[in-house]
Every structure is written in C-alpha cells, then in structure tokens.
Amino acid sequence: MDGRDDSSGRGATGGGVRVDLRGRRALVTGGARGLGASICRALAGAGASVLVADVRKELARELCGELGRSGGEARFVELDVRDAAAVAEVFRGLEAADRPLDILVNNAAVDVSKPIEHLTAEEVTRVVATNLLGPMYLCLETYRRMVARGGGHIVNILSTASNRTWTEAGPYASAKTGLRAFTHTLFKEAQRDCPGIGVTGIIAGGMETPFIMERFPDADTSMLQSPDVVADTVLYALSVPSTSTVSELVVVPRKEPSWP
C-alpha cells in the first residue's frame, strides 16, 4: 500500500510535515546527494525503509551510513536509470527478496546548458534518457506491480522547465515537459486501474544543490530554495488520506523568475 495515512495521529518527520511511513519501502533515484539525499533523509525520518539508487557509489554508501546512525533503514543499489535492463533487474531482485516497493520517487536528472547550435547528439541523448526515459522505465516496472498489490505511490520530480523554458535549456525542458505529460497520463490511468495508487508530479523551482551550483557557481543563492523544502513537499503528497490524492504540486522560491 502507499504511504498515505488515514489516522489523525501521524508520526513526526523533519520539517513541518507529519506522516507515518513505518513498514513502507521506498526507492529514490539520484538519491546520493542534493535533492535526492534530502528526500531519502525525509523518508527515513518518517520511518520508511529507503533504497538509495544512484551511480555515485561512495556518496550513496555514506548517506546510507548516516541514515543508519540516525536510526533509519537504508540500502544502496547501483543503478543507471538509462539502462532499462538494469532497472528491470533491480525489480526482479526486490521481488525475489519479497521486498516490493510502496513508494517510488523519480528524482535523478542531468542537464547540459548549451545553446542548441552547440549541442551534440550524445548530450541530447544523455539528458533525455536520464530525465524522461529513465523515469518511464522505473514507472513501467513499478506501476504494474502496484496495481497487482492494490496500492502504492509514485512521485515524479518535475521542474519549472516543464511549464516554460529559457535559452540553453532545450533538452532539459523537452524531457521535463514530456515527464509531466507522462505523469498526468499515469495519474489518469491510476484513477481507472487502482484507486489505491497515488501519482504525484512535483514542479520544483531552483534549489541550492550541486545540480545548480556546479553548473552556475556564481548563482545568487538568495534566489534559490532549500532542497529540504521540496523533500517536505514529497512527504505532504504521501500524507494525504486515501480518500484524496494530489496530482501535482508546485514549490518554488519566492523570487523564482521562471514561474509561471
């Protein structure tokens, strides 16, 4: 079942959101650092068993150790979301271990900030494969299993680029726009196929994470938000009683220039 709690006495988590995820299993892609790490901390703090899926082995293992020392439960799985066969193998392993997922958070993303005239085919392929095809591969493996079990929750991390775009953002905006459309479709199919499944897209504005700071080291951090705020937004989506569902949330810095 998903992480939504019908009871009035929800367990405490970090930030201002309260939800009890004890007994739930979650997988977070790109979970080793930045927003992904914040989401893993939030889920573990709420009691979920977290699978940190990433290609950054050392960072992921360090995070799992941190979460374990804080009383949480976390494991690392090396996963390149662009590899559909590898994604399928992870789910076969979970099935064999009788550890089905209750929560999937598609967070992994990359970007190449270049004018279109200077982009290479390899760069475009890497961005679209990571930001659009990867989440779709994860959803394909997760959704049918959630339907069979009668519940679960899928959260896709979107971007303000899924609503509008700017220069040097062609592949990124295209992929995030596609993922938003896919998320809306999945939401409608879940309404039809299984009322116990929640599907939420979270449109997140600029965050003070390596994703931004490594590409734009001179970025004005006063224009950015903490990834912990977005992680709390994920918890909110999971906290809604099963009689309701949240299809999309928008969380942006107050000075966000790219919304709406």
Side-chain angles (χ1 to χ4, degrees), residues 6-174:
D6 292 332
S7 65
S8 57
R10 294 178 179 135
T13 73
V17 180
R18 298 171 64 86
V19 57
D20 187 351
L21 298 179
R22 287 173 295 181
R24 307 293 196 239
R25 287 177 289 270
L27 184 150
V28 181
T29 66
R33 68 173 189 169
L35 175 58
S38 289
I39 294 171
C40 288
R41 292 186 183 102
L43 292 170
S49 172
V50 180
L51 195 58
V52 181
D54 211 310
V55 294
R56 303 177 183 91
K57 300 179 186 179
E58 294 308 314
L59 283 177
R61 291 192 175 110
E62 287 174 13
L63 177 62
C64 290
E66 172 198 322
L67 296 178
R69 289 188 296 273
S70 300
E73 182 183 345
R75 297 186 300 116
F76 163 61
V77 60
E78 185 176 3
L79 179 63
D80 183 341
V81 300
R82 299 173 297 176
D83 186 339
V87 170
E89 181 61 29
V90 166
F91 279 85
R92 283 194 294 269
L94 292 173
E95 210 164 53
D98 194 26
R99 295 180 62 87
L101 285 188
D102 302 293
I103 300 162
L104 167 67
V105 182
N106 276 312
N107 165 75
V110 298
D111 190 16
V112 177
S113 298
K114 284 185 178 181
I116 291 171
E117 64 174 317
H118 298 307
L119 283 168
T120 67
E122 187 279 330
E123 289 168 335
V124 170
T125 299
R126 179 161 61 90
V127 173
V128 174
T130 304
N131 299 4
L132 175 57
L133 295 181
M136 292 175 73
Y137 297 153
L138 269 292
C139 286
L140 292 178
E141 295 294 337
T142 303
Y143 181 70
R144 59 174 172 260
R145 289 176 167 89
M146 288 183 174
V147 170
R149 296 181 64 228
H153 205 122
I154 295 172
V155 178
N156 289 333
I157 303 298
L158 306 175
S159 164
T160 53
S162 65
N163 185 69
R164 59 177 296 181
T165 190
W166 47 88
T167 58
E168 286 79 51
Y172 184 79
S174 299

